[in-house]
Amino acid sequence: PLVRRVQAGEKSRVSCTTEEAKSVTPDFDYRLYLAKEGIGSICQKNGQLEERLLPDWQGRFFFWIEQNRQRTEKVLSRALPQPELGLALGLILGGGNFLDKDIEESFKRIGMTHIVAVSGYNILLVAAGSFFVLGALGLWRRQKLLLGSSIIWVFILFVGAPASAVRAGSMALLFFLALLTGRKASGFFVLILSAFLMLLFNPLLLFYDIGFQLSFLALLGILLSSEWLITKDWDKKEIARQTFMTTLWVEMYVLPLIVYYFGTLTWFSVVANMVLLPIIPLATLGSFALLLLGFLPDSLFLFLAIPVYLLLHIVILFAEFCARLPWVSLEGLKLTLEQLALVYSIIILFSVVQLRKRR
């Protein structure tokens, strides 16, 4: 019954008449899509709730995670109003369900929904922040790598372990393992190996998880853009150039797939990324800092939350303003599977040629 409250990690015994899922359209296998999520059949009628089962260790663990997520929301709600609170929760916990519907639509129109989807970007921020703190405490390199890896996986479990976060965490773990053994980690090798391990565990991710496809292509674009790095003595112009090149490579790899699935070309995301990328890490780390300062009295806590509020407010204002512009995205586009394959063949050929020239 919908009126019955269910807690995270709870298990119940049920009985019902089951049916195999059926595809609504001939070009999408809904049965395999559900199988990707571990669902084999659907309860159709005569459903009965038999009994609640005693919680096992797994259920208690997920219940503990959910309690911490609720504490996070409670602490941040003391300092931030809506809609800034929703954006802060999205940056930390992941997921656009914390955002107001209108603001979520604004982020979609400018192609910036990835900032509230837990992925490699968020994992990078967690790793950088944890390594900075552990280094400040005087820990050695091996200790920082071991504890940093543990912190990253605690964060992944904390946000619900989505596929994008697990993949990014797997890459980070393989990279840290290479550093611990004194070997230089190749980004392409780590990317392919982590994707292979995930597909070995669940092969259906390859065709029935759009997030898996998009994040793999985005990481590939980031790795290819890093090949354009000339000098480590960066000034502001060099940082801006590298940011632009990274954004350009990522968009080149993900936009065709977005057009294929959703019929929308969010080309303005190149501009939005350039503008918001310097702000998002500060807003994310500031939101994390507020969690650690939740023990402070309200007056001091609210005062310290002002800079975080301003950063979040700027991001929302930018998204709302740009989303109202009629030319930020092109809709109603169609791309067949054959055309998609041709586009990516051209992109890969271009990438290979550029890499050969670079080397």
Side-chain angles (χ1 to χ4, degrees):
L2 295 178
V3 295
R4 178 177 175 271
R5 296 187 63 183
V6 181
Q7 294 180 336
E10 180 181 318
K11 290 186 178 182
S12 299
R13 190 181 303 277
V14 299
S15 61
C16 66
T17 302
T18 61
E19 293 183 10
E20 187 177 284
K22 298 178 181 179
S23 299
V24 180
T25 58
D27 57 343
F28 184 76
D29 195 327
Y30 186 55
R31 181 178 60 86
L32 289 180
Y33 173 78
L34 291 179
K36 182 259 299 184
E37 301 294 339
I39 300 172
S41 55
I42 300 175
C43 285
Q44 295 289 358
K45 51 189 175 180
N46 302 327
Q48 295 291 331
L49 183 65
E50 302 292 345
E51 60 177 328
R52 289 187 179 184
L53 303 178
L54 293 176
D56 55 9
W57 69 269
Q58 189 180 30
R60 289 191 292 268
F61 176 71
F62 282 109
F63 178 67
W64 174 77
I65 289 178
E66 182 61 27
Q67 283 185 313
N68 284 297
R69 290 171 65 91
Q70 292 176 2
R71 291 193 191 101
T72 299
E73 188 170 354
K74 185 177 180 180
V75 170
L76 290 181
S77 63
R78 287 177 51 206
L80 300 170
Q82 289 287 5
E84 289 75 17
L85 172 62
L87 179 56
L89 291 172
L91 291 173
I92 294 178
L93 300 179
N97 56 309
F98 296 105
L99 297 174
D100 179 85
K101 293 300 180 184
D102 293 334
I103 296 176
E104 183 181 3
E105 187 62 30
S106 297
F107 278 107
K108 287 182 180 179
R109 276 189 57 80
I110 66 172
M112 289 298 292
T113 52
H114 63 273
I115 67 174
V116 291
V118 179
S119 59
Y121 183 69
N122 306 72
I123 301 300
L124 176 63
L125 291 178
V126 173
S130 60
F131 286 166
F132 175 79
V133 173
L134 295 173
L137 295 175
L139 271 66
W140 294 352
R141 177 183 174 181
R142 181 177 295 271
Q143 294 170 323
K144 285 194 296 183
L145 290 172
L146 291 173
L147 287 176
S149 300
S150 302
I151 292 173
I152 289 172
W153 280 99
V154 168
F155 172 75
I156 291 172
L157 293 173
F158 181 68
V159 299
S164 57
V166 172
R167 180 172 50 262
S170 302
M171 287 190 65
L173 187 62
L174 290 171
F175 185 76
F176 296 155
L177 181 62
L179 292 178
L180 281 172
T181 56
R183 299 177 181 272
K184 182 181 179 181
S186 169
F188 292 103
F189 174 76
V190 170
L191 174 62
I192 297 299
L193 181 58
S194 60
F196 171 76
L197 292 176
M198 291 192 69
L199 292 176
L200 192 64
F201 178 75
N202 188 352
L204 295 175
L205 291 175
L206 182 60
F207 297 106
Y208 298 97
D209 193 320
I210 300 175
F212 176 86
Q213 300 168 11
L214 287 173
S215 56
F216 178 84
L217 291 172
L219 287 170
L220 181 59
I222 292 173
L223 290 173
L224 289 170
S225 68
S226 66
E227 294 290 336
W228 287 77
L229 180 62
I230 299 176
T231 175
K232 294 183 179 180
D233 299 325
W234 284 10
D235 54 16
K236 292 182 180 179
K237 291 183 179 180
E238 181 62 24
I239 293 175
R241 188 191 73 85
Q242 182 64 18
T243 302
F244 175 74
M245 291 301 302
T246 300
T247 303
L248 207 59
W249 276 93
V250 170
E251 297 300 329
M252 180 174 65
Y253 269 86
V254 302
L255 285 181
L257 196 64
I258 292 175
V259 173
Y260 174 74
Y261 280 119
F262 306 110
T264 302
L265 179 62
T266 53
W267 68 269
F268 190 76
S269 57
V270 178
V271 179
N273 273 286
M274 288 290 295
V275 175
L276 295 181
L277 275 182
I279 304 175
I280 296 300
L282 296 176
T284 306
L285 295 175
S287 301
F288 271 116
L290 289 179
L291 286 178
L292 300 177
L293 299 175
F295 62 91
L296 295 174
D298 287 347
S299 56
L300 182 58
F301 190 50
L302 289 172
F303 176 76
L304 295 176
I306 292 176
V308 182
Y309 167 81
L310 292 176
L311 291 171
L312 297 168
H313 190 63
I314 290 172
V315 173
I316 292 173
L317 285 180
F318 178 84
E320 289 181 327
F321 173 78
C322 294
R324 287 193 290 267
L325 302 175
W327 40 264
V328 295
S329 64
L330 303 176
E331 300 181 359
L333 303 177
K334 290 185 179 180
L335 201 62
T336 65
L337 185 59
E338 293 77 12
Q339 292 171 335
L340 181 70
L342 177 61
V343 169
Y344 274 114
S345 298
I346 296 173
I347 291 174
I348 292 173
L349 179 61
F350 171 78
S351 303
V352 171
V353 171
Q354 293 300 316
L355 284 176
R356 287 178 64 87
K357 287 182 178 180
R358 195 70 190 155
R359 290 175 179 176

